[in-house]
Amino acid sequence: MDYGLAKRAVVRSLRSGYASRRDVCDAQPYLLRAARHFGEPTERPCPVCEKENVTNVTYVYGESLGRHAGQAKVTSELVAMAHDYDEFRVYVVEVCQGCSWNHLTVSYVLGNGPPDLAGQA
């Protein structure tokens, strides 16, 4: 699912004065740390401060992930995870490390899991 329309609505609300910068630049310290250590830089400027490019932070959630659920991952890890785990959801959040803007940009499902051994003797 692409959250581009929601993002544009938030930015439009900020620029028209219906929302304050404090309302939309509210990244938690954990998210900012994840952006610094696991984030993937982009060439997209922050829609709020326009001074820095946003960083994508990818999180994974799913029952089959065990201790990996809720962790930030780099994109290259997702391919192996998709083969090793049952279905799980991936969320990509863009973060500006300068002004603390953050917004969910896309979510999708990956995984086909390990081979089904239930029918084998």
Side-chain angles (χ1 to χ4, degrees):
M1 172 174 270
D2 186 325
Y3 296 89
L5 286 175
K7 175 184 168 180
R8 286 191 290 279
V10 170
V11 172
R12 196 170 35 253
S13 180
L14 175 67
R15 292 190 176 141
S16 65
Y18 291 110
S20 72
R21 190 168 173 160
R22 187 177 359 181
D23 293 334
V24 299
C25 295
D26 60 352
Q28 298 295 315
Y30 176 77
L31 179 56
L32 293 170
R33 274 193 305 277
R36 201 168 36 254
H37 297 290
F38 300 101
E40 298 178 68
T42 72
E43 296 297 318
R44 294 186 322 271
C46 173
V48 176
C49 72
E50 299 177 341
K51 294 177 184 173
E52 294 191 31
N53 290 340
V54 295
T55 301
N56 285 341
V57 182
T58 303
Y59 289 97
V60 293
Y61 291 90
E63 288 182 27
S64 69
L65 296 178
R67 65 182 178 85
H68 296 289
Q71 289 184 353
K73 299 291 182 182
V74 293
T75 303
S76 61
E77 293 177 280
L78 298 178
V79 174
M81 290 180 72
H83 288 74
D84 293 342
Y85 294 97
D86 288 335
E87 239 180 46
F88 61 94
R89 185 155 288 280
V90 179
Y91 296 91
V92 180
V93 179
E94 70 176 23
V95 180
C96 176
Q97 295 180 61
C99 73
S100 296
W101 157 263
N102 65 103
H103 201 277
L104 178 63
T105 59
V106 66
S107 68
Y108 53 93
V109 175
L110 285 179
N112 59 6
D116 184 9
L117 302 176
Q120 297 181 11

